[in-house]
Amino acid sequence: MSSTVDPFSELKSRQRDMWASFAPTAAFTTPVAAHLVDFAQVKPGETVLDVGTGTGVVAITAARAGASVTGLDLTPALLDVARENAQIARLATVQWFEGDAENLPFPDGQFDVVLSQFGHMFAPRPDVAVAEMRRVLKPDGRVAFATWPPEHFVGRMFAFVGKNSPPPPPGAAPPPQWGSPGTVAERLGDKFEAPFFSRGIMHFPALSLSHYREFAERSMGPMQKLMEASAEEPERLAALRSEFETLAAPYYSANMIRMEYLLTRARAR
Ligand SMILES: C[S@@+](CC[C@H](N)C(=O)[O-])C[C@H]1O[C@@H](n2cnc3c(N)ncnc32)[C@H](O)[C@@H]1O
């Protein structure tokens, strides 16, 4: 917990706004949550923190596995949906916090497991996020993440958004760097034992490439903001839409977009 001024507060405020429309996409991240909770070897009675919980898919899956769970996210609109999801699943014990992966509002050594599914990767300073996740873990605790590799579809989508948007503030790390095992191992560094990796595929149903693009423009914040910024320039908008569908085409078959992800698990040192 730090009280110093955050040089990335403006970026985080934009993130909070950008992710507010994410709830419909969480239907597709729900199966990945089961994979991550299983890969993390979450056990009944363990204390678990889900960083970047969004609508709570990982937090609620871990709670259903018997863990005592806390979910944290930057975006209050998504936490409202998470609370509703917990209520529907009759898991009133899950605790929800609005907060930042780089400044976790918890004391040292509170959790057995820290999880993050496509969440902590958006914190601009990986070293700060890693130090915070390690700080709130018990001495023999573990972290487990799902992240998007730069070389597969979602990583390439972020590169597409990045090259067509104003540059991020200096010093902000590109999120898909968290999808490269070598970089992950380096970032966990001397705070964790050597990580274990696995991989999976998230299948995203779509009736056509244009259906997928339309969905992305409404519910995937980075894509939505890019297209909104071009709304007054019809030619640019049409070119961006065409480029995006060309990018997605090789990953589309059998009415699904194929999205490969990386899983990481590491024990604290
Ligand atoms: C792609 S969504 C993933 C949500 C959820 N984990 C899932 O898999 O459905 C990314 C989430 O990370 C959150 N996020 C982004 N930056 C964050 C930060 N610095 N601290 C905490 N959460 C953050 C966003 O608000 C959003 O809910």
Side-chain angles (χ1 to χ4, degrees):
M1 281 172 285
S2 157
S3 56
T4 54
V5 174
D6 183 345
F8 291 97
S9 58
E10 201 186 310
L11 171 80
K12 288 172 189 172
S13 159
R14 272 187 275 129
Q15 294 257 26
R16 205 174 281 121
D17 174 48
M18 187 175 83
W19 290 112
S21 60
F22 182 78
T25 309
F28 308 101
T29 61
T30 296
V32 185
H35 192 185
L36 176 62
V37 167
D38 180 58
F39 181 74
Q41 302 170 343
V42 170
K43 294 175 202 59
E46 284 191 317
T47 47
V48 171
L49 171 66
D50 177 21
V51 174
T53 190
T55 64
V57 294
V58 168
I60 290 170
T61 306
R64 286 181 51 228
S68 171
V69 180
T70 302
L72 170 130
D73 202 280
L74 209 51
T75 306
L78 296 180
L79 289 171
D80 289 343
V81 182
R83 282 188 197 93
E84 197 183 327
N85 280 335
Q87 205 178 7
I88 294 168
R90 298 193 192 89
L91 291 165
T93 54
V94 181
Q95 295 198 301
W96 305 104
F97 285 80
E98 184 179 332
D100 179 3
E102 294 188 347
N103 189 13
L104 295 172
F106 308 111
D108 298 0
Q110 184 171 330
F111 298 101
D112 294 301
V113 189
V114 174
L115 302 175
S116 187
Q117 175 170 289
F118 316 134
H120 81 290
M121 62 184 292
F122 295 103
R125 294 171 297 184
D127 55 331
V128 179
V130 167
E132 276 297 88
M133 291 188 287
R134 175 64 189 86
R135 180 184 66 73
V136 300
L137 275 177
K138 293 178 183 173
D140 61 345
R142 59 199 186 281
V143 283
F145 319 129
T147 50
W148 298 116
E151 70 276 20
H152 294 301
F153 174 66
V154 180
R156 294 183 68 188
M157 176 168 83
F158 279 111
F160 162 79
V161 172
K163 92 175 177 197
N164 289 295
S165 305
Q177 286 181 350
W178 271 112
S180 296
T183 305
V184 174
E186 226 168 78
R187 286 176 176 176
L188 296 179
D190 56 2
K191 293 187 169 58
F192 289 87
E193 306 282 349
F196 292 88
F197 296 106
S198 188
R199 291 183 185 268
I201 302 172
M202 182 171 114
H203 289 105
F204 203 111
L207 199 49
S208 70
L209 279 172
S210 302
H211 280 80
Y212 175 64
R213 180 187 47 70
E214 291 270 328
F215 183 96
E217 287 186 28
R218 282 197 299 269
S219 178
M220 287 175 205
M223 271 288 290
Q224 185 182 8
K225 293 295 169 198
L226 170 63
M227 297 304 185
E228 278 173 9
S230 313
E232 306 297 313
E233 301 167 78
E235 275 179 27
R236 176 173 154 81
L237 187 62
L240 286 172
R241 285 176 166 164
S242 163
E243 188 182 341
F244 181 70
E245 289 189 23
T246 303
L247 169 67
Y251 300 92
Y252 184 61
S253 69
N255 281 1
M256 285 182 285
I257 308 267
R258 181 188 167 93
M259 302 178 172
E260 309 212 16
Y261 56 84
L262 178 73
L263 291 180
T264 301
R265 183 183 69 237
R267 189 164 287 283
R269 255 197 232 270

